[in-house]
Amino acid sequence: MTAQKSFVFGYLKSVKTHPSAEVVYKEVRKKLPSISQGTVYRVLNNFKDKGEIQAIEAKDVTHFDADISDHAHFICERCGNVFDVISECSECGLLKNKKTKVGLIKKYTINFYGICKNCRK
Ligand SMILES: [Zn+2]
Ligand SMILES: [Zn+2]
């Protein structure tokens, strides 16, 4: 179980594609044919609950990201792919660590929605 866990985590760390659980399962199974879908889902949820990975909800499917630094995401409304928005979002963290009327902001999640360049073609 521990080896499977670290393999799933290692795979997620190695990609920037924000795969869904189904994609993670398909990719991990290529190297670890004995792993079950249930294990992959359980491992992903476990990491998510511990805050070691983040989940992004897009088009009925949950996507996973091992990059838990604050960064914004672009979600394509057509294909459902999730992309990082970093360079254009240099001011997205403007309110981070700011005291607001309702409390101190520790982290943030920003999702942008649109049609990605692949789908615009
Ligand atoms: Zn798209
Ligand atoms: Zn991301």
Side-chain angles (χ1 to χ4, degrees):
M1 183 61 190
T2 314
Q4 293 183 334
K5 255 178 121 161
S6 56
F7 199 88
V8 168
F9 191 68
Y11 166 73
L12 204 57
K13 267 265 181 227
S14 72
V15 296
K16 288 257 169 236
T17 51
H18 308 85
S20 62
E22 198 187 332
V23 172
V24 173
Y25 170 59
K26 277 187 191 146
E27 290 303 315
V28 167
R29 202 178 46 174
K30 286 180 190 164
K31 296 267 167 59
L32 279 184
S34 64
I35 199 164
S36 75
Q37 193 164 4
T39 301
V40 170
Y41 279 61
R42 221 166 21 248
V43 166
L44 287 170
N45 279 319
N46 208 271
F47 279 129
K48 189 190 84 179
D49 290 345
K50 286 195 287 182
E52 287 173 39
I53 62 173
Q54 59 168 320
I56 307 122
E57 304 296 333
K59 262 198 140 192
D60 317 323
V61 187
T62 304
H63 294 250
F64 293 94
D65 192 354
D67 180 358
I68 51 165
S69 65
D70 291 315
H71 63 280
H73 288 116
F74 178 96
I75 297 166
C76 177
E77 292 177 306
R78 199 162 292 170
C79 66
N81 279 335
V82 178
F83 306 89
D84 285 335
V85 178
I86 294 170
S87 57
E88 297 93 336
C89 213
S90 57
E91 292 181 6
C92 282
L94 218 53
L95 294 178
K96 203 183 159 187
N97 299 322
K98 286 259 159 61
K99 237 186 210 150
T100 69
K101 280 177 193 147
V102 288
L104 176 73
I105 294 173
K106 276 161 69 182
K107 57 181 194 140
Y108 66 89
T109 312
I110 298 176
N111 291 337
F112 296 108
Y113 297 86
I115 306 292
C116 79
K117 60 180 184 209
N118 297 328
C119 289
R120 290 191 85 103
K121 272 182 205 156

